[in-house]
Amino acid sequence: MPELRRVPVNGVELNVALCGSGPAVLLLHGFPHTWELWTDVMADLSGRYRLIAPDLRGFGASSPAASGYDAGTLAEDAAALLTTLGVSSAAVVGIDAGTAPAFLLALRRPGLVRRLVVMESLLGRLPGAEYFLADGPPWWFGFHCAEPGLAETVLEGHEAAYVDWFLRAGTLGDGVRPALRDAFVRAYTGRQALSRAFSYYRALPQSAAQIEQALWGSARLTVPTMALGARPVGAALERQLRPVADDLTGHVIEDCGHIIPLHRPHALLTLLRPFLAGEDAKAG
């Protein structure tokens, strides 16, 4: 089992799962997940890597935060976490809500990020995802961002059913193991927990502007990067990254739902292991 540690960074206290030894790998989860999204990945990689998996600001067992759910602040949280833990460089892996912070961290701090893996999300308004957004963004984006407090009012007392829908949809109906399902439900139960989760969605316009600003002029993503898709995002993220990345590999995992690390962990690890091994070779 990973060690759980409370780590103060950037004015908040993050709940962080730590295990293994070797080159550092930072794992950033999405919604409606916690660090436990990475359970299978951490179990497999801990023999060769030092795995660092925080609950993002305000999520899970990390301390509540009144603000800072934009991608830029989440990226700063990640950088501060690595510094506090004495990590001078790391591979960074992000999914869903963790993708934009991982991208900004690699773009702004290429000396800190040796390799980047991003999956199942879009990067703001960057071109390349037009086909995915042809019918508009997924319905829950509008619901979460509607009149402040509305989604929380509707869902309070029904959190388990709501989280269950995402877990079933994100695994093409398979669902996740009961212990993980219960952990995710606990993490998003209560009006304040819901409000913090939806604050990430409400900050998406600010995050999109931060991505565009970071890429202003001739800025490019220089670190080796792998973009992974499944259902529903597919190759849209790779298409967004292709014009701005110097070293990009893309894969779409077949017969896989959005929650790649839990739905198809073996397929994910088949791609992660050689990509991270390339990091070892570069690190010497």
Side-chain angles (χ1 to χ4, degrees):
M1 284 291 295
E3 170 198 359
L4 293 179
R5 189 183 303 177
R6 310 289 296 182
V7 182
V9 298
N10 242 10
V12 296
E13 193 173 68
L14 300 183
N15 179 58
V16 185
L18 301 161
C19 69
S21 60
V25 180
L26 176 67
L27 304 165
L28 303 178
H29 68 82
F31 170 87
H33 319 128
T34 67
W35 73 264
E36 288 165 285
L37 173 75
W38 305 108
T39 297
D40 296 334
V41 171
M42 296 177 80
D44 185 273
L45 296 180
S46 61
R48 294 187 60 196
Y49 298 97
R50 181 186 184 192
L51 287 307
I52 303 167
D55 286 338
L56 299 182
R57 164 186 295 251
F59 287 67
S62 289
S63 64
S67 61
Y69 295 92
D70 57 280
T73 302
L74 294 174
E76 292 170 7
D77 288 351
L81 173 61
L82 293 176
T83 298
T84 301
L85 294 176
V87 175
S88 60
S89 66
V92 179
V93 182
I95 187 171
D96 191 75
T99 286
F103 171 78
L104 280 178
L105 182 62
L107 193 65
R108 294 171 172 175
R109 303 281 297 275
L112 182 61
V113 179
R114 287 202 297 264
R115 293 203 157 218
L116 175 67
V117 181
V118 285
M119 50 186 133
E120 275 299 286
S121 185
L122 297 181
L123 290 170
R125 297 179 287 262
L126 295 187
E130 291 81 6
Y131 80 95
F132 178 78
L133 296 171
D135 297 322
W139 62 265
W140 57 89
F141 280 62
F143 178 50
H144 294 171
C145 297
E147 183 70 21
L150 175 62
E152 295 92 318
T153 299
V154 171
L155 292 172
E156 191 172 12
H158 305 281
E159 297 94 337
Y162 196 60
V163 170
D164 280 339
W165 184 88
F166 283 95
L167 299 181
R168 287 194 301 269
T171 55
L172 307 183
D174 291 347
V176 302
R177 299 190 295 275
L180 293 174
R181 176 265 182 193
D182 292 346
F184 296 153
V185 168
R186 285 194 302 272
Y188 293 92
T189 293
R191 187 180 184 88
Q192 295 306 314
L194 290 171
S195 182
R196 293 192 294 272
F198 300 155
S199 291
Y200 162 79
Y201 289 88
R202 292 162 186 165
L204 284 174
Q206 182 181 0
S207 298
Q210 291 168 342
I211 290 168
E212 292 173 356
Q213 182 178 16
L215 287 168
W216 186 83
S218 58
R220 295 188 59 79
L221 183 65
T222 58
V223 304
T225 299
M226 182 164 64
L228 301 179
R231 195 183 302 178
V233 177
L237 177 59
E238 179 188 352
R239 289 192 177 104
Q240 286 188 309
L241 285 168
R242 186 64 62 187
V244 301
D246 289 344
D247 183 354
L248 177 64
T249 303
H251 299 277
V252 175
I253 300 176
E254 300 297 328
D255 191 30
C256 181
H258 176 69
I259 312 174
I260 297 173
L262 292 178
H263 192 212
R264 296 287 181 258
H266 298 299
L268 172 59
L269 287 161
T270 296
L271 296 170
L272 272 181
R273 290 188 202 105
F275 188 75
L276 295 178
E279 171 194 312
D280 289 343
K282 287 179 178 291

